Coordinates of all heavy atoms in Angstrom, one line a residue:
M1 N 24.8 -2.8 -4.3 CA 23.9 -2.1 -3.4 C 22.7 -2.9 -3.0 O 22.1 -3.5 -3.9 CB 23.4 -0.8 -4.1 CG 22.8 0.2 -3.2 SD 22.4 1.8 -4.1 CE 20.8 1.4 -4.6
A2 N 22.4 -3.0 -1.8 CA 21.3 -3.8 -1.3 C 20.0 -3.1 -1.7 O 19.8 -1.9 -1.6 CB 21.3 -3.9 0.2
V3 N 19.0 -4.0 -2.1 CA 17.7 -3.5 -2.4 C 16.9 -3.4 -1.1 O 16.9 -4.3 -0.3 CB 17.0 -4.5 -3.3 CG1 15.6 -4.0 -3.6 CG2 17.8 -4.6 -4.6
P4 N 16.2 -2.3 -0.8 CA 15.5 -2.2 0.4 C 14.4 -3.2 0.5 O 13.8 -3.6 -0.5 CB 14.8 -0.8 0.3 CG 15.7 0.0 -0.6 CD 16.2 -1.1 -1.6
I5 N 14.2 -3.7 1.7 CA 13.1 -4.7 2.0 C 12.0 -4.1 2.7 O 12.1 -3.3 3.6 CB 13.7 -5.9 2.9 CG1 14.9 -6.5 2.2 CG2 12.6 -6.9 3.2 CD1 14.7 -7.2 0.9
R6 N 10.8 -4.4 2.2 CA 9.6 -3.9 2.9 C 8.6 -5.1 3.1 O 8.7 -6.0 2.4 CB 8.8 -2.9 1.9 CG 9.6 -1.6 1.7 CD 9.7 -0.7 2.9 NE 10.4 0.6 2.7 CZ 11.7 0.7 2.8 NH1 12.5 -0.3 3.1 NH2 12.2 1.9 2.6
S7 N 7.7 -4.9 4.1 CA 6.7 -5.9 4.3 C 5.4 -5.5 3.8 O 5.0 -4.4 3.9 CB 6.6 -6.1 5.8 OG 7.8 -6.6 6.4
C8 N 4.7 -6.5 3.1 CA 3.3 -6.2 2.7 C 2.4 -6.0 3.9 O 2.5 -6.8 4.8 CB 2.9 -7.4 1.8 SG 1.2 -7.4 1.4
I9 N 1.6 -5.0 3.8 CA 0.7 -4.7 5.0 C -0.4 -5.8 5.2 O -1.0 -5.9 6.2 CB 0.1 -3.3 4.9 CG1 -0.8 -3.2 3.6 CG2 1.1 -2.2 5.0 CD1 -1.7 -1.9 3.6
A10 N -0.7 -6.6 4.1 CA -1.7 -7.6 4.2 C -1.2 -8.9 4.6 O -1.6 -9.5 5.6 CB -2.5 -7.7 2.9
C11 N -0.2 -9.5 3.9 CA 0.3 -10.8 4.2 C 1.5 -10.8 5.0 O 2.0 -11.9 5.4 CB 0.4 -11.6 2.9 SG 1.8 -11.1 1.9
R12 N 2.2 -9.6 5.2 CA 3.3 -9.5 6.1 C 4.6 -10.1 5.5 O 5.6 -10.2 6.1 CB 3.1 -10.1 7.4 CG 2.0 -9.3 8.2 CD 2.6 -8.1 8.8 NE 1.6 -7.1 9.2 CZ 1.9 -5.8 9.4 NH1 3.1 -5.4 9.3 NH2 0.9 -5.0 9.7
K13 N 4.5 -10.6 4.3 CA 5.7 -11.2 3.7 C 6.7 -10.1 3.3 O 6.3 -9.0 2.9 CB 5.3 -12.0 2.4 CG 6.3 -12.9 1.9 CD 5.7 -13.9 0.9 CE 6.7 -14.8 0.3 NZ 7.2 -14.3 -1.0
R14 N 7.9 -10.4 3.5 CA 9.0 -9.4 3.2 C 9.5 -9.6 1.8 O 9.7 -10.7 1.4 CB 10.1 -9.5 4.2 CG 9.7 -9.1 5.6 CD 10.6 -9.7 6.7 NE 12.0 -9.2 6.5 CZ 12.5 -8.0 7.0 NH1 11.7 -7.2 7.6 NH2 13.7 -7.7 6.8
E15 N 9.6 -8.5 1.1 CA 10.0 -8.5 -0.3 C 10.9 -7.4 -0.6 O 10.9 -6.4 0.1 CB 8.7 -8.3 -1.2 CG 7.7 -9.3 -1.1 CD 7.9 -10.5 -2.0 OE1 9.0 -10.6 -2.5 OE2 7.0 -11.3 -2.1
D16 N 11.6 -7.5 -1.7 CA 12.3 -6.4 -2.3 C 11.2 -5.4 -2.6 O 10.1 -5.8 -3.1 CB 12.9 -6.8 -3.6 CG 14.2 -7.6 -3.5 OD1 14.5 -7.9 -2.3 OD2 14.7 -8.0 -4.5
W17 N 11.5 -4.1 -2.5 CA 10.4 -3.2 -2.7 C 9.9 -3.1 -4.2 O 8.9 -2.5 -4.5 CB 10.7 -1.8 -2.1 CG 11.8 -1.1 -2.7 CD1 12.7 -1.5 -3.6 CD2 12.2 0.3 -2.4 NE1 13.6 -0.6 -3.9 CE2 13.3 0.6 -3.2 CE3 11.7 1.3 -1.6 CZ2 14.0 1.8 -3.2 CZ3 12.4 2.5 -1.5 CH2 13.5 2.7 -2.3
T18 N 10.7 -3.6 -5.0 CA 10.3 -3.6 -6.5 C 9.2 -4.5 -6.7 O 8.5 -4.4 -7.7 CB 11.5 -4.0 -7.3 OG1 12.1 -5.2 -6.8 CG2 12.6 -3.0 -7.4
D19 N 8.9 -5.5 -5.8 CA 7.8 -6.4 -5.9 C 6.5 -5.9 -5.3 O 5.5 -6.6 -5.3 CB 8.2 -7.8 -5.3 CG 9.3 -8.4 -6.1 OD1 9.4 -8.2 -7.4 OD2 10.1 -9.1 -5.5
L20 N 6.6 -4.8 -4.6 CA 5.5 -4.3 -3.8 C 5.1 -2.9 -4.4 O 5.9 -2.2 -5.0 CB 5.8 -4.1 -2.4 CG 6.2 -5.4 -1.6 CD1 6.7 -5.0 -0.2 CD2 5.1 -6.4 -1.5
L21 N 3.8 -2.6 -4.2 CA 3.3 -1.3 -4.6 C 3.3 -0.3 -3.4 O 2.8 -0.7 -2.4 CB 1.9 -1.4 -5.2 CG 1.2 -0.1 -5.5 CD1 1.8 0.6 -6.7 CD2 -0.3 -0.3 -5.8
R22 N 3.9 0.8 -3.6 CA 3.9 1.8 -2.5 C 2.5 2.6 -2.6 O 2.1 2.9 -3.6 CB 5.0 2.8 -2.6 CG 5.1 3.8 -1.5 CD 6.3 4.7 -1.6 NE 6.5 5.5 -0.3 CZ 6.1 6.8 -0.2 NH1 5.6 7.4 -1.2 NH2 6.3 7.3 1.0
V23 N 1.9 2.8 -1.4 CA 0.7 3.6 -1.3 C 1.0 4.6 -0.2 O 1.7 4.4 0.7 CB -0.5 2.7 -1.0 CG1 -0.8 1.8 -2.2 CG2 -0.4 2.0 0.3
V24 N 0.3 5.8 -0.4 CA 0.4 6.8 0.6 C -1.0 7.3 1.0 O -2.0 7.1 0.2 CB 1.2 8.0 0.2 CG1 2.7 7.7 0.0 CG2 0.7 8.6 -1.1
K25 N -1.1 7.9 2.2 CA -2.4 8.4 2.6 C -2.4 9.9 2.3 O -1.5 10.6 2.8 CB -2.6 8.1 4.1 CG -4.0 8.6 4.6 CD -4.1 8.4 6.1 CE -4.0 9.8 6.7 NZ -4.4 9.9 8.1
V26 N -3.4 10.4 1.6 CA -3.5 11.8 1.3 C -5.0 12.2 1.6 O -5.9 11.7 0.9 CB -3.2 12.2 -0.1 CG1 -3.4 13.7 -0.4 CG2 -1.8 11.7 -0.5
A27 N -5.2 13.0 2.7 CA -6.5 13.5 3.0 C -7.6 12.4 3.0 O -8.6 12.5 2.4 CB -6.9 14.6 2.1
G28 N -7.3 11.3 3.8 CA -8.3 10.3 4.0 C -8.5 9.3 2.8 O -9.4 8.5 2.8
E29 N -7.6 9.5 1.8 CA -7.6 8.5 0.7 C -6.3 7.8 0.6 O -5.2 8.4 0.9 CB -7.7 9.3 -0.6 CG -9.2 9.7 -1.0 CD -9.2 10.1 -2.4 OE1 -8.5 11.0 -2.8 OE2 -10.0 9.5 -3.2
V30 N -6.3 6.5 0.2 CA -5.1 5.8 0.0 C -4.9 5.8 -1.5 O -5.7 5.5 -2.3 CB -5.3 4.3 0.4 CG1 -4.0 3.6 0.2 CG2 -5.7 4.2 1.9
L31 N -3.7 6.4 -1.9 CA -3.4 6.6 -3.3 C -2.2 5.7 -3.7 O -1.3 5.6 -2.9 CB -3.1 8.0 -3.6 CG -4.2 9.1 -3.3 CD1 -3.7 10.5 -3.6 CD2 -5.4 8.8 -4.1
P32 N -2.2 5.2 -4.9 CA -1.0 4.5 -5.4 C 0.2 5.4 -5.7 O -0.1 6.5 -6.1 CB -1.5 3.8 -6.7 CG -2.6 4.7 -7.2 CD -3.2 5.3 -6.0
D33 N 1.3 4.9 -5.4 CA 2.5 5.8 -5.7 C 3.6 4.9 -6.4 O 4.6 4.6 -5.8 CB 3.1 6.3 -4.4 CG 4.3 7.2 -4.6 OD1 4.4 7.8 -5.7 OD2 5.1 7.3 -3.6
P34 N 3.3 4.5 -7.6 CA 4.2 3.5 -8.3 C 5.6 4.0 -8.5 O 6.5 3.2 -8.7 CB 3.4 3.2 -9.6 CG 2.5 4.4 -9.8 CD 2.1 4.9 -8.4
L35 N 5.7 5.3 -8.6 CA 7.0 5.9 -8.9 C 7.7 6.4 -7.7 O 8.8 7.0 -7.8 CB 6.9 7.0 -10.0 CG 6.3 6.6 -11.3 CD1 6.1 7.8 -12.2 CD2 7.1 5.5 -12.0
H36 N 7.1 6.2 -6.5 CA 7.7 6.6 -5.2 C 8.0 8.1 -5.2 O 9.1 8.5 -4.7 CB 9.0 5.8 -5.0 CG 8.8 4.3 -5.1 ND1 9.9 3.4 -5.3 CD2 7.7 3.5 -5.1 CE1 9.4 2.2 -5.4 NE2 8.1 2.2 -5.3
L37 N 7.1 8.8 -5.6 CA 7.3 10.3 -5.7 C 6.5 11.1 -4.6 O 6.8 12.2 -4.3 CB 6.9 10.8 -7.1 CG 7.7 10.3 -8.3 CD1 7.1 10.8 -9.6 CD2 9.1 10.8 -8.1
L38 N 5.5 10.5 -4.1 CA 4.6 11.2 -3.2 C 5.2 11.3 -1.8 O 5.8 10.3 -1.4 CB 3.2 10.6 -3.1 CG 2.4 10.5 -4.4 CD1 1.1 9.8 -4.2 CD2 2.1 12.0 -4.9
P39 N 5.2 12.4 -1.2 CA 5.7 12.5 0.2 C 4.8 11.9 1.2 O 3.7 11.5 0.9 CB 5.8 14.1 0.4 CG 4.7 14.6 -0.5 CD 4.5 13.7 -1.6
G40 N 5.3 11.8 2.4 CA 4.5 11.3 3.5 C 4.8 9.8 3.8 O 5.6 9.2 3.2
R41 N 4.0 9.4 4.8 CA 4.2 8.0 5.2 C 3.7 7.0 4.2 O 2.5 7.1 3.8 CB 3.5 7.9 6.6 CG 3.7 6.5 7.2 CD 2.8 6.4 8.5 NE 2.8 5.0 8.9 CZ 3.8 4.5 9.6 NH1 4.8 5.3 10.0 NH2 3.8 3.3 10.0
G42 N 4.5 6.1 3.8 CA 4.1 5.1 2.8 C 3.8 3.8 3.4 O 4.2 3.5 4.5
A43 N 3.0 3.0 2.7 CA 2.8 1.6 3.1 C 3.0 0.8 1.8 O 2.9 1.3 0.7 CB 1.4 1.4 3.7
W44 N 3.2 -0.5 2.0 CA 3.6 -1.3 0.9 C 2.7 -2.6 0.8 O 2.4 -3.1 1.9 CB 5.1 -1.7 1.0 CG 6.0 -0.6 1.0 CD1 6.2 0.3 2.1 CD2 6.8 -0.1 -0.1 NE1 7.1 1.2 1.7 CE2 7.5 1.0 0.4 CE3 7.0 -0.5 -1.4 CZ2 8.4 1.8 -0.4 CZ3 7.8 0.2 -2.2 CH2 8.5 1.4 -1.7
L45 N 2.3 -3.0 -0.4 CA 1.6 -4.2 -0.5 C 1.7 -4.8 -1.9 O 2.1 -4.1 -2.8 CB 0.1 -4.0 -0.1 CG -0.8 -3.4 -1.2 CD1 -2.3 -3.7 -0.9 CD2 -0.6 -1.9 -1.4
H46 N 1.5 -6.1 -1.9 CA 1.4 -6.8 -3.2 C 0.1 -6.4 -3.8 O -1.0 -6.2 -3.1 CB 1.3 -8.3 -3.0 CG 2.5 -9.0 -2.4 ND1 2.5 -9.4 -1.1 CD2 3.7 -9.2 -2.9 CE1 3.7 -9.9 -0.8 NE2 4.5 -9.8 -1.9
R47 N 0.1 -6.2 -5.1 CA -1.2 -5.9 -5.8 C -2.2 -7.0 -5.5 O -3.4 -6.7 -5.4 CB -1.0 -5.8 -7.3 CG -0.2 -4.5 -7.7 CD 0.2 -4.6 -9.1 NE 1.1 -3.4 -9.4 CZ 0.7 -2.4 -10.3 NH1 -0.5 -2.5 -10.9 NH2 1.5 -1.4 -10.5
K48 N -1.8 -8.2 -5.5 CA -2.8 -9.3 -5.3 C -3.3 -9.3 -3.9 O -4.3 -10.0 -3.6 CB -2.1 -10.7 -5.7 CG -1.0 -11.1 -4.7 CD -0.5 -12.5 -5.1 CE 0.9 -12.8 -4.5 NZ 1.0 -12.7 -3.0
C49 N -2.7 -8.6 -3.0 CA -3.1 -8.6 -1.6 C -4.1 -7.4 -1.3 O -4.5 -7.2 -0.2 CB -1.9 -8.5 -0.7 SG -1.0 -10.0 -0.6
F50 N -4.4 -6.7 -2.3 CA -5.3 -5.5 -2.1 C -6.6 -5.8 -1.5 O -7.0 -5.2 -0.5 CB -5.5 -4.8 -3.5 CG -6.6 -3.7 -3.4 CD1 -6.3 -2.5 -2.7 CD2 -7.8 -3.9 -4.0 CE1 -7.3 -1.5 -2.6 CE2 -8.8 -2.9 -3.9 CZ -8.5 -1.7 -3.2
E51 N -7.3 -6.8 -2.0 CA -8.6 -7.2 -1.4 C -8.5 -7.7 0.0 O -9.3 -7.3 0.9 CB -9.3 -8.3 -2.2 CG -9.9 -7.8 -3.5 CD -11.0 -6.8 -3.3 OE1 -11.7 -6.9 -2.3 OE2 -11.3 -6.0 -4.2
T52 N -7.4 -8.4 0.3 CA -7.2 -8.9 1.7 C -6.9 -7.7 2.6 O -7.5 -7.6 3.7 CB -5.9 -9.8 1.7 OG1 -6.1 -10.8 0.7 CG2 -5.7 -10.4 3.0
A53 N -6.1 -6.8 2.1 CA -5.8 -5.6 2.9 C -7.1 -4.8 3.2 O -7.2 -4.3 4.3 CB -4.8 -4.7 2.1
K54 N -7.9 -4.7 2.2 CA -9.2 -3.9 2.4 C -10.0 -4.6 3.5 O -10.5 -4.0 4.4 CB -9.9 -3.8 1.1 CG -10.7 -2.6 0.9 CD -11.1 -2.4 -0.5 CE -12.3 -3.3 -0.8 NZ -13.0 -2.9 -2.1
Q55 N -10.2 -5.9 3.3 CA -11.1 -6.7 4.2 C -10.5 -6.7 5.7 O -11.3 -6.6 6.6 CB -11.2 -8.1 3.7 CG -12.1 -8.3 2.5 CD -11.9 -9.6 1.8 OE1 -11.4 -10.6 2.4 NE2 -12.4 -9.7 0.6
R56 N -9.2 -6.7 5.8 CA -8.7 -6.8 7.1 C -8.5 -5.4 7.8 O -8.0 -5.3 8.9 CB -7.3 -7.5 7.1 CG -7.4 -8.9 6.8 CD -6.0 -9.6 6.9 NE -6.0 -10.9 6.4 CZ -4.9 -11.6 6.2 NH1 -3.7 -11.1 6.4 NH2 -5.0 -12.9 5.8
G57 N -8.7 -4.4 7.0 CA -8.5 -3.0 7.6 C -7.0 -2.7 7.7 O -6.6 -1.9 8.6
S58 N -6.2 -3.3 6.8 CA -4.8 -3.2 6.9 C -4.3 -1.7 6.6 O -3.3 -1.3 7.1 CB -4.1 -4.1 5.9 OG -4.4 -5.4 6.2
F59 N -5.1 -1.0 5.8 CA -4.7 0.3 5.5 C -4.8 1.3 6.7 O -3.9 2.0 7.0 CB -5.6 0.9 4.3 CG -5.3 0.1 3.0 CD1 -6.3 -0.7 2.5 CD2 -4.1 0.3 2.3 CE1 -6.1 -1.4 1.3 CE2 -3.9 -0.4 1.1 CZ -4.9 -1.2 0.6
S60 N -5.9 1.2 7.4 CA -6.1 2.0 8.6 C -5.0 1.7 9.6 O -4.5 2.6 10.2 CB -7.5 1.8 9.2 OG -8.5 2.2 8.3
R61 N -4.7 0.4 9.7 CA -3.7 0.0 10.7 C -2.3 0.6 10.2 O -1.5 1.1 11.0 CB -3.6 -1.5 10.8 CG -2.9 -1.9 12.1 CD -3.0 -3.4 12.3 NE -4.2 -4.0 11.8 CZ -4.2 -5.0 10.8 NH1 -3.0 -5.5 10.4 NH2 -5.3 -5.5 10.4
A62 N -2.0 0.4 8.9 CA -0.7 0.8 8.4 C -0.5 2.3 8.6 O 0.6 2.8 8.9 CB -0.5 0.4 7.0
F63 N -1.6 3.1 8.4 CA -1.5 4.5 8.5 C -1.9 5.0 9.9 O -2.1 6.2 10.1 CB -2.3 5.2 7.4 CG -1.7 5.0 6.1 CD1 -2.4 4.2 5.1 CD2 -0.5 5.5 5.7 CE1 -1.9 4.0 3.8 CE2 0.0 5.3 4.4 CZ -0.7 4.5 3.5
R64 N -2.1 4.1 10.8 CA -2.5 4.5 12.2 C -3.7 5.5 12.2 O -3.6 6.5 12.8 CB -1.3 5.1 13.0 CG -0.2 4.1 13.1 CD 0.8 4.5 14.1 NE 1.8 3.4 14.3 CZ 3.0 3.4 13.8 NH1 3.4 4.4 13.0 NH2 3.8 2.4 14.0
S65 N -4.7 5.1 11.4 CA -5.8 6.0 11.2 C -7.1 5.5 11.8 O -7.3 4.3 11.6 CB -6.0 6.3 9.7 OG -7.2 7.0 9.5
D66 N -7.8 6.3 12.5 CA -9.1 5.8 13.0 C -10.2 6.0 12.0 O -11.3 5.4 12.1 CB -9.5 6.6 14.3 CG -8.5 6.3 15.4 OD1 -8.0 5.2 15.4 OD2 -8.3 7.2 16.3
E67 N -10.0 6.9 11.1 CA -11.0 7.2 10.1 C -11.0 6.1 9.0 O -10.0 5.4 8.9 CB -10.8 8.5 9.4 CG -9.5 8.6 8.7 CD -9.2 10.0 8.1 OE1 -10.1 10.7 7.7 OE2 -8.0 10.3 8.1
R68 N -12.1 5.9 8.4 CA -12.2 5.0 7.3 C -11.6 5.6 6.0 O -12.0 6.6 5.6 CB -13.7 4.6 7.0 CG -13.8 3.5 6.1 CD -15.3 3.0 6.0 NE -15.4 2.3 4.7 CZ -15.0 1.0 4.6 NH1 -14.5 0.4 5.7 NH2 -15.1 0.4 3.5
L69 N -10.6 4.9 5.5 CA -9.8 5.5 4.4 C -10.4 5.0 3.0 O -10.8 3.8 2.9 CB -8.4 5.0 4.4 CG -7.6 5.4 5.7 CD1 -6.3 4.8 5.8 CD2 -7.5 7.0 5.8
S70 N -10.6 5.9 2.1 CA -11.1 5.5 0.8 C -10.0 4.9 0.0 O -8.9 5.3 -0.1 CB -11.6 6.8 0.1 OG -11.7 6.5 -1.3
T71 N -10.3 3.7 -0.6 CA -9.4 3.0 -1.4 C -9.9 2.9 -2.9 O -9.4 2.1 -3.7 CB -9.1 1.6 -0.9 OG1 -10.4 0.9 -0.7 CG2 -8.4 1.6 0.4
E72 N -10.8 3.8 -3.2 CA -11.4 3.7 -4.6 C -10.4 3.9 -5.7 O -10.4 3.2 -6.7 CB -12.6 4.6 -4.7 CG -13.9 4.1 -4.1 CD -15.0 5.1 -4.1 OE1 -15.1 5.9 -5.1 OE2 -15.8 5.1 -3.2
K73 N -9.6 5.0 -5.5 CA -8.6 5.3 -6.6 C -7.6 4.2 -6.7 O -7.1 3.9 -7.7 CB -8.0 6.6 -6.3 CG -9.0 7.8 -6.7 CD -8.4 9.1 -6.4 CE -9.5 10.2 -6.5 NZ -9.0 11.5 -6.0
L74 N -7.2 3.7 -5.5 CA -6.2 2.6 -5.5 C -6.8 1.4 -6.2 O -6.1 0.7 -7.0 CB -5.8 2.3 -4.1 CG -4.8 1.2 -3.9 CD1 -3.5 1.5 -4.6 CD2 -4.6 0.9 -2.4
A75 N -8.1 1.1 -6.0 CA -8.7 -0.1 -6.6 C -8.7 0.0 -8.1 O -8.4 -0.9 -8.8 CB -10.2 -0.2 -6.1
V76 N -9.0 1.2 -8.6 CA -9.1 1.5 -10.0 C -7.7 1.3 -10.6 O -7.5 0.6 -11.6 CB -9.6 2.9 -10.3 CG1 -9.3 3.3 -11.8 CG2 -11.0 3.0 -10.0
F77 N -6.7 1.8 -9.9 CA -5.3 1.6 -10.4 C -4.9 0.2 -10.4 O -4.2 -0.3 -11.4 CB -4.4 2.4 -9.4 CG -2.9 2.2 -9.8 CD1 -2.3 3.0 -10.7 CD2 -2.1 1.2 -9.1 CE1 -0.9 2.9 -11.0 CE2 -0.8 1.1 -9.4 CZ -0.2 1.9 -10.4
I78 N -5.2 -0.6 -9.4 CA -4.8 -2.0 -9.4 C -5.5 -2.9 -10.4 O -5.0 -3.8 -11.0 CB -5.0 -2.5 -7.9 CG1 -3.9 -2.0 -7.1 CG2 -5.0 -4.1 -7.9 CD1 -3.9 -2.3 -5.6
I79 N -6.8 -2.6 -10.6 CA -7.6 -3.4 -11.5 C -7.2 -3.2 -12.9 O -7.3 -4.1 -13.7 CB -9.1 -3.2 -11.2 CG1 -9.5 -3.8 -9.8 CG2 -10.0 -3.8 -12.3 CD1 -10.8 -3.2 -9.3
E80 N -6.8 -2.0 -13.2 CA -6.5 -1.7 -14.7 C -5.2 -2.2 -15.1 O -4.3 -2.4 -14.3 CB -6.5 -0.1 -14.9 CG -8.0 0.4 -15.0 CD -8.0 1.9 -15.2 OE1 -7.0 2.5 -15.0 OE2 -9.1 2.4 -15.5
Ligands
ZN101 ZN1 1.1 -9.5 0.3

């Protein structure tokens, strides 16, 4: 069975999705979804690309959002 391939929203590198962290947008917040359980549109990134994604506005672009998305909970998850 083929492993699904996803692109990191920050560096655009394509990876097996096991190497990327899934995140979803919930009410203006970007939340980590390590177990792939949360519904909704997901985006994928390397943990090491989090800062890059934040600086480049990759989250807003990935979720096609004009509002500024909070990444605080995601930051805590990634740093721990
Ligand atoms: Zn990346």
Side-chain angles (χ1 to χ4, degrees):
M1 196 176 90
V3 179
I5 302 294
R6 294 288 183 273
S7 296
C8 171
I9 59 170
C11 71
R12 294 281 161 197
K13 198 163 170 263
R14 289 159 64 82
E15 296 275 12
D16 290 358
W17 66 352
T18 49
D19 294 328
L20 299 172
L21 174 67
R22 183 176 193 258
V23 296
V24 293
K25 186 186 102 165
V26 179
E29 277 192 306
V30 183
L31 301 178
D33 181 25
L35 301 178
H36 309 160
L37 294 175
L38 297 177
R41 186 184 166 81
W44 300 77
L45 79 162
H46 297 106
R47 287 169 184 248
K48 65 177 164 58
C49 288
F50 170 69
E51 282 298 332
T52 307
K54 211 168 77 168
Q55 283 164 19
R56 290 186 187 168
S58 302
F59 294 108
S60 295
R61 197 173 333 120
F63 291 114
R64 300 194 173 99
S65 173
D66 293 332
E67 60 185 328
R68 190 173 161 76
L69 301 172
S70 166
T71 52
E72 279 175 34
K73 287 178 187 165
L74 179 61
V76 168
F77 176 86
I78 283 177
I79 289 160
E80 278 178 352

